[in-house]
Amino acid sequence: MAYDSVFKPGLFSGQTILVTGGGSGIGRCVAHELAHLGAHVVLVGRKAEKLEATAGEIIEDGGSASWQACDIRDEEAVKAMVKAVVAERGPIHHLVNNAGGQFPAPLIGINQKGFETVVRTNLVGGFLVAKEVFLQSMSKTGGSIVNMLADMWGGMPGMGHSGAARAGMENFTKTAAYEWGHAGVRVNAVAPGWIASSGMDTYPESMKSMIRSLKDHVPLQRIGTESEVAAAIVFLLSPGANFISGNTIRIDGAASQGTRAWTLGKARASESYNGFHRAYMPAVFKDEE
C-alpha cells in the first residue's frame, strides 16, 4: 500500500523538506505524505530510534528520507543540525516546524521549570529552527515554513503553558512572514484541534473518558485524523499557496467557534479523510470499541 494523497504525484520532486518531530504522531504522517509526493524528507527530533524507524518506513515504501537527532531547544545544536543538512542536501526548500510537547496540569500545578520547558519546546525551539533554516538556506533560495499551533483562542485550561507558547508562535508566524517575505519566504501555521494521534496515549488513565467525549464538543461530531492535518500542511507548502503568508489554518471541525450555550445538532454526514496507510488508532479509542 502507499499513502493516498489528494495532491498530484511528484509535487515535491527534487526538493528537501525538513520535518521536526517527524518520528511520531502528526510529524510522522506529514513526512510520509511529503515523501510519497517526491520529497527527500529530513526527520528531526530528540529520539534517534523513532526517527530511524520512521525513515525506515518511508524508504520501505519507496520514498527518500534521512534523519538528524537534535534537541531543538539547544541553539548551538540547531545551528549544527541545519549546517549538516545543507552540507548534505543543499537548499532546504520547506520546513515543517512540528516538534512540540506538553503535559496536562492546571496553572497552579505548573512550576517554573515545567512552564519554561514547554515554552522552550513549543515556542523557542520552533523559533531557533526557523531562524537557522532562514539564515543558512532560505534567505538565499526562498522557501516556505509551516509552524505548528493548537486551538488556543479561548485559552487552554489544563494546558496553559502550551497555550501561551502556541499563541506566541502564532505571532512569530506573522512577524516572520513580514520580515522574511522579501527573500521569497512564506511563513504560515496550522492549528489542529482534537486529532486522533499517538500523543493521546501519553495522557494519564484519568483523562481517558474525557478524551473519548471530545467529539461531542465538535460541530462535525467527530475528531480529526493525522491525514487531515497533513493535507493542510502540504497545501500551505505547495505552489497553490504561493500568495498565502502570515496566516493560520484551523483544523478543528469548527470546535473553536461559537459557545457552549449553543446546542449542537445530531451528527449526520461528516466523513473523515485518512490517506495514511500506516496510521493506527490510539489505544484510548481502541479501548472504547
Side-chain angles (χ1 to χ4, degrees), residues 4 16 20 67 76 81 86 89 114 124 144 152 157 188 195 199-200 205 214 217 226 237 239-240 245 253 259 273 280:
D4 184 19
T16 295
T20 68
W67 56 273
E76 294 306 313
M81 177 272 292
V86 172
R89 298 293 313 173
V124 178
S144 60
M152 43 64 187
N188 291 291
I195 305 297
M200 286 187 165
E205 185 74 23
L214 292 175
H217 304 287
E226 294 172 336
L237 298 178
S245 194
T259 69
Y273 158 63
Y280 57 88

Side-chain angles (χ1 to χ4, degrees), residues 23-86:
S24 61
I26 292 171
R28 170 176 170 260
C29 178
V30 173
H32 267 275
E33 182 163 19
L34 292 171
H36 174 72
L37 294 171
H40 175 88
V41 181
V42 181
L43 309 171
V44 176
R46 285 189 299 151
K47 297 182 178 180
E49 61 273 16
K50 287 186 176 182
L51 302 174
E52 188 173 16
T54 300
E57 292 174 351
I58 290 171
I59 293 169
E60 184 179 327
D61 291 344
S64 178
S66 56
W67 56 273
Q68 290 277 339
C70 175
D71 184 345
I72 64 170
R73 300 169 296 183
D74 182 335
E75 185 171 19
E76 294 306 313
V78 170
K79 289 180 180 179
M81 177 272 292
V82 174
K83 183 178 181 180
V85 173
V86 172

Side-chain angles (χ1 to χ4, degrees), residues 200-212 284 287:
M200 286 187 165
D201 287 334
T202 65
Y203 296 126
E205 185 74 23
S206 59
M207 293 186 66
K208 283 189 175 182
S209 60
M210 182 275 291
I211 290 173
R212 291 176 184 140
V284 65
D287 294 343

Side-chain angles (χ1 to χ4, degrees), residues 62-167:
S64 178
S66 56
W67 56 273
Q68 290 277 339
C70 175
D71 184 345
I72 64 170
R73 300 169 296 183
D74 182 335
E75 185 171 19
E76 294 306 313
V78 170
K79 289 180 180 179
M81 177 272 292
V82 174
K83 183 178 181 180
V85 173
V86 172
E88 179 181 346
R89 298 293 313 173
I92 297 172
H93 298 87
H94 307 283
L95 164 64
V96 181
N97 227 349
N98 165 77
Q102 55 271 315
F103 57 89
L107 290 174
I108 59 173
I110 305 172
N111 60 24
Q112 180 178 343
K113 180 179 178 181
F115 194 93
E116 289 180 347
T117 297
V118 171
V119 170
R120 285 182 63 210
T121 302
N122 293 353
L123 176 58
V124 178
F127 157 70
L128 292 174
V129 175
K131 186 183 84 166
E132 285 308 314
V133 167
F134 176 78
L135 287 174
Q136 297 191 42
S137 181
M138 291 186 182
S139 61
K140 308 174 189 70
T141 59
S144 60
I145 298 170
V146 177
N147 295 319
M148 181 61 67
L149 308 184
D151 176 7
M152 43 64 187
W153 283 270
M156 284 187 72
M159 287 195 184
H161 43 13
S162 185
R166 306 297 190 175

